């Protein structure tokens, strides 16, 4: 099991965000921020307090790419969460992905691939 981490979760569906928070807790991790929009996510990234992130590719009407860009610039690893059919930009193609629906095992496997 990887070292415990503190996460930012960017997810616009409250029930899914809570599920991820529960799964992370079961795996020994903590959650510093849960955000549902790009602007809140950028604010959370600027304020810090976490060392990894899980980004829902589709945040309401927006794609999460600006959050991934900001995390990349800060040297913070991240996982993309997706329901499928999303094309990850080349800059972020090496990031792990987590397919919906989630399970504790699939989350753990994605986290094992974090840098």
């Amino acid at each position: 099991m990887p070292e415990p981490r503190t996460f930012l979760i960017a997810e616009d569906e409250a029930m899914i965000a809570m599920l991820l928070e529960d799964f992370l807790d079961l795996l020994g991790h903590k959650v510093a921020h849960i955000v549902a929009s790009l602007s809140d996510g950028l604010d959370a990234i600027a304020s810090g307090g976490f060392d990894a992130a899980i980004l829902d590719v589709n945040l309401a009407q927006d794609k999460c790419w600006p959050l991934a860009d900001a995390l990349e610039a800060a040297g913070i690893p991240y996982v993309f969460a997706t329901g499928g059919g999303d094309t990850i930009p080349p800059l972020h193609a090496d990031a792990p992905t987590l397919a919906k629906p989630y399970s504790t095992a699939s989350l753990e496997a994605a986290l094992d691939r974090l840098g």
Side-chain angles (χ1 to χ4, degrees):
M1 181 167 133
E3 290 293 315
R5 295 184 183 217
T6 302
F7 281 84
L8 160 71
I9 296 174
E11 171 59 64
D12 61 339
E13 294 186 39
M15 294 300 289
I16 293 174
M18 289 188 295
L19 178 71
L20 280 172
E21 185 175 26
D22 288 346
F23 284 174
L24 287 167
D25 184 57
L26 286 170
L27 294 171
H29 303 289
K30 297 190 182 304
V31 174
H33 306 280
I34 297 177
V35 299
S37 69
L38 286 180
S39 62
D40 289 346
L42 292 170
D43 289 345
I45 292 168
S47 69
F50 62 94
D51 50 25
I54 299 173
L55 307 176
D56 182 14
V57 169
N58 295 298
L59 289 174
Q61 303 301 319
D62 299 309
K63 296 289 188 183
C64 72
W65 312 139
L67 300 181
D69 292 341
L71 291 165
E72 190 79 28
I76 298 172
Y78 50 90
V79 171
F80 289 121
T82 178
D86 296 301
T87 301
I88 307 296
L91 175 63
H92 305 294
D94 291 336
T97 58
L98 175 63
K100 295 179 181 178
Y102 312 131
S103 69
T104 307
S106 66
L107 176 60
E108 187 172 31
L111 298 183
D112 285 345
R113 295 189 310 270
L114 275 178

